[in-house]
Amino acid sequence: MNFLRTLVGKLWITIICLVAFVLLSVGLFFLPYIDTNFTNPGAIKKLFVLVSMIGFSLTTFFALFLITKITQPMQRLIQATDSIRKGNYDTRLSLKTSDEIGVLSNTFNHMAEELEKTIRSLNHEKEHLSSVLRSMNDAVITLDGSGYVILTNPPGERILQMWGDLPDEESETAETVQGSLQKIPRPLQQMFRKVLDQEGDQSMNIHVKKGVWSVHMAPLASDGGIRGAVAVLRDVTEEVKLEKMRRDFVANVSHEIRTPLSMMQGYSEALLDGMATSPEESAELVQVIHDESLRMGRLVRDLLDLARMEAGHTDMTMQSVDIRELAERVYRKFLVRSKENDIALRLELKDGPLELQEANEDRLEQVLTNLLDNAFRHTPEGGTISIEAGMAEGGHGSELHLSVRDSGVGIPADDLPFVFDRFYKADKARVRGETGGTGLGLSIVKNIVDSHGGSIYAESEVGKGTAFHMLLPVEKPQLS
C-alpha cells in the first residue's frame, strides 16, 4: 500500500503542512514587524503570544479533523461488531476509503458475509437434522456426559414420558431434572455407563413394561474425549412375539406330527415283520394306522385353514343366516354322540328372530361344531352341554349372543387367556384321549368370529365347566 494513503502518512503530511503554514505565516506577516520592533521586549512577548494562539488554534483544528477521520469509522466499526454479536449477521459497513480503515471495513464485510453464510448453512443443517429426526419412526435420545437428555425426536419424547414413572437406581424418578434437562431413564443407565467406560457402541434388547426394545447406543466424541451418547430405540415387541410364535409353532407341529408318525411307523413295521398272527390282529394294526393317518390329515387340514384365514385368502360368501335353524341343525347332529357318551345336550333359544344379515352359514356351523366337539371331549359322563342364543344390545347396535356351555373339568385361570392360541392344550385339566384334537380348533373359531366382525371370550372354573361366548353383529360388520 502507498505510504501516503495510510493513516501514518496522512498524519505526517498534515503535520508538515501545519508547520509549513506556521513558518510561512511568520515569515510573510511577522518578520517585518520583528525587524522594526525587535528592541521592544513587550512587542516580542506579544508576538510569541499571538503565534502561540494561532498555532494552538491550528493544531486543535487539525486534531479535531484527524479525530473525525479516525474515530468516526472506528465507532461505526464497533457498532457493527456489536450488532454482529447480537445476531444481526446481515450488518455491513459502507466506508469508502483507501487507508487501513477502508481495508478493515472491507475485511469486516467479507467476514460478516462468510459468517452469515456459515450460520445459514448451520441452520439449514439443523433444520435438515430436525426434519430427519421428526420423520423417523425409531426413537432417538441424545445424552450429555452427565446422563441428561439434551435432544430427542417425538418418538423419543413418548418413550421418556412412558418410562417417566420408573425409579432409577438411586430410588429417584426418571424425571429428575437439572435445570430443564431430564435424567436418563433407568433402562438405559447400564448401557450408558458401558458406552462411557468402553468408549464403544453398545446394542441390546431391553424389556420394559411388557414391551421389548432394541437399543443401539453410540458415544459422541469431541476434542478427543466423549461428551455424551446417542441412543436409537426401536419397539420390537411384535417381532419378538412373532419369533416366539414361530418357534412354538414349529415345536408344536413337530410334536403333533411325531406321535402319529411314530405309531404309523411302529405298526407298519409290525405288519411287515409278520407280528400279527391272525387276521383280527392285522385288521387291528391297520385300523390304528388308518386312525393315525386321519389324525394327521385333520392336523394338516386345520393348519391350511388357519393359514388361509390369517392370510385373508378365505373367500366367504356373506348372506342372511337364520341362527335358530343353524343351531337346531347342529343340535340334531350331536344328539347321537350325546346319547353314546351319556351327556345331556340342551338347546336354549330365546323367543324372537335370531338372524344375521351378513354371515357365512358354513363357517358359523364350523364354529359351533368345533366348540361342541371340544365340549364333548372334556365333559365326563353324566355331564351337560348347552347351546344358547339370544339377542342383546351392544355398543354398535344389536348383537347376537351365542354360547356353548359344558359342565366339564374346566380351565385353570392361568391358562384361560391362552385358550385361543395355536396348539393350546391345558393338559393339567383337560386330559386328551386317543381321539384328541389338534389344538387348532379354537384358533380357527376365533379367526372365523373375527372375520364376521364379532368377538369371542371364555369363562371357566376348574371342576365346574367352561362357557364360550360369541357376540356377532346383526347388521353388516365394518371390517378394517
Side-chain angles (χ1 to χ4, degrees):
M1 180 184 292
N2 191 349
F3 174 74
L4 297 179
R5 294 184 177 181
T6 64
L7 286 176
V8 177
K10 291 180 179 180
L11 181 62
W12 181 69
I13 293 174
T14 302
I15 294 174
I16 290 177
C17 292
L18 178 61
V19 173
F21 179 78
V22 173
L23 293 177
L24 288 175
S25 299
V26 172
L28 292 176
F29 297 104
F30 298 110
L31 283 179
Y33 181 76
I34 292 174
D35 291 337
T36 57
N37 299 283
F38 186 75
T39 57
N40 188 351
I44 295 175
K45 290 180 181 179
K46 266 187 196 182
L47 175 63
F48 276 102
V49 171
L50 184 60
V51 170
S52 298
M53 292 177 63
I54 295 173
F56 177 77
S57 300
L58 292 174
T59 304
T60 303
F61 172 76
F62 282 106
L64 293 175
F65 175 77
L66 289 176
I67 289 174
T68 301
K69 289 294 184 181
I70 296 175
T71 59
Q72 283 187 352
M74 295 301 295
Q75 289 292 335
R76 292 174 63 183
L77 181 61
I78 291 173
Q79 293 175 359
T81 305
D82 187 63
S83 180
I84 292 288
R85 180 184 64 83
K86 294 178 180 179
N88 300 320
Y89 301 109
D90 58 346
T91 303
R92 299 291 186 273
L93 290 174
S94 59
L95 300 176
K96 304 297 182 181
T97 59
S98 59
D99 52 15
E100 290 93 335
I101 293 180
V103 175
L104 181 60
S105 174
N106 293 332
T107 304
F108 176 86
N109 289 338
H110 180 70
M111 179 198 69
E113 183 178 357
E114 292 297 324
L115 182 61
E116 184 179 12
K117 290 180 180 179
T118 303
I119 296 298
R120 189 183 300 113
S121 177
L122 290 176
N123 288 333
H124 177 73
E125 292 295 330
K126 181 179 179 181
E127 293 174 358
H128 178 70
L129 177 61
S130 178
S131 299
V132 171
L133 290 177
R134 286 196 304 269
S135 63
M136 290 179 62
N137 292 326
D138 296 341
V140 179
I141 300 176
T142 305
L143 308 166
D144 63 10
S146 300
Y148 288 91
V149 178
I150 57 178
L151 177 65
T152 61
N153 62 345
E157 287 289 346
R158 289 193 290 270
I159 288 180
L160 292 177
Q161 294 176 2
M162 184 169 54
W163 295 354
D165 57 349
L166 296 176
D168 62 17
E169 295 180 354
E170 287 78 20
S171 298
E172 299 175 354
T173 64
E175 293 180 353
T176 302
V177 175
Q178 184 183 35
S180 60
L181 299 180
Q182 188 173 1
K183 185 70 175 177
I184 178 176
R186 181 184 59 81
L188 301 179
Q189 291 178 0
Q190 182 179 1
M191 287 189 66
F192 180 70
R193 286 193 292 266
K194 287 184 178 180
V195 168
L196 296 184
D197 296 340
Q198 302 177 11
E199 300 185 0
D201 294 7
Q202 299 290 329
S203 297
M204 67 184 327
N205 286 350
I206 59 176
H207 298 258
V208 182
K209 292 185 175 182
K210 298 182 180 179
V212 184
W213 300 83
S214 174
V215 184
H216 181 84
M217 187 177 294
L220 293 176
S222 177
D223 298 330
I226 296 179
R227 62 180 181 87
V230 58
V232 180
L233 300 89
R234 176 178 296 177
D235 188 358
V236 294
T237 305
E238 290 300 323
E239 288 85 343
V240 172
K241 185 183 298 183
L242 291 175
E243 178 62 22
K244 183 178 183 302
M245 289 177 60
R246 185 190 66 81
R247 291 196 300 266
D248 293 345
F249 176 78
V250 173
N252 287 323
V253 170
S254 302
H255 174 74
E256 292 293 332
I257 293 180
R258 184 172 60 247
T259 301
L261 281 178
S262 299
M263 295 186 68
M264 291 171 64
Q265 181 180 356
Y267 281 94
S268 61
E269 289 177 352
L271 287 174
L272 292 175
D273 293 340
M275 296 181 63
T277 58
S278 65
E280 291 78 9
E281 291 182 359
S282 299
E284 183 179 353
L285 296 178
V286 171
Q287 183 63 43
V288 171
I289 295 175
H290 177 70
D291 292 341
E292 293 301 322
S293 65
L294 292 178
R295 180 179 171 187
M296 287 187 61
R298 289 196 304 270
L299 175 62
V300 172
R301 185 175 61 253
D302 289 346
L303 283 173
L304 292 176
D305 288 343
L306 186 59
R308 283 195 295 266
M309 290 178 187
E310 293 182 346
H313 296 157
T314 303
D315 295 330
M316 290 194 300
T317 302
M318 296 295 189
Q319 59 186 5
S320 177
V321 176
D322 188 348
I323 298 299
R324 185 182 301 275
E325 179 183 343
L326 174 63
E328 291 175 350
R329 184 169 67 250
V330 175
Y331 170 75
R332 290 191 299 269
K333 183 170 65 174
F334 278 88
L335 274 178
V336 176
R337 184 172 178 181
S338 67
K339 293 178 180 179
E340 291 177 352
N341 296 338
D342 191 20
I343 295 175
L345 181 62
R346 300 173 182 173
L347 178 63
E348 301 176 6
L349 304 178
K350 293 184 178 180
D351 297 334
L354 300 176
E355 186 173 339
L356 299 179
Q357 295 182 5
E358 295 286 337
N360 185 277
E361 187 172 359
D362 292 337
R363 291 298 180 181
L364 291 181
E365 183 174 352
Q366 183 181 3
V367 167
L368 288 176
T369 301
N370 285 355
L371 291 178
L372 287 171
D373 179 72
N374 197 58
F376 273 102
R377 285 189 289 108
H378 302 101
T379 300
E381 293 183 359
T384 59
I385 298 175
S386 62
I387 306 172
E388 303 172 3
M391 302 302 294
E393 288 296 326
H396 301 283
S398 297
E399 294 178 333
L400 176 71
H401 186 189
L402 188 60
S403 304
V404 175
R405 298 177 182 270
D406 65 62
S407 59
V409 294
I411 303 173
D414 293 340
D415 296 325
L416 197 60
F418 311 104
V419 292
F420 297 105
D421 292 349
R422 296 175 179 179
F423 299 106
Y424 164 79
K425 291 167 186 173
D427 292 331
K428 295 179 181 179
R430 293 180 172 232
V431 180
R432 183 180 63 201
E434 294 182 355
T435 60
T438 62
L440 298 172
L442 292 180
S443 296
I444 294 175
V445 165
K446 187 176 188 307
N447 274 275
I448 294 175
V449 173
D450 289 343
S451 66
H452 283 76
S455 60
I456 184 171
Y457 62 96
E459 295 177 342
S460 183
E461 187 175 350
V462 176
K464 294 185 178 181
T466 304
F468 287 92
H469 301 277
M470 290 175 287
L471 294 174
L472 300 171
V474 174
E475 298 179 352
K476 183 177 180 180
Q478 300 295 328
L479 300 179
S480 58

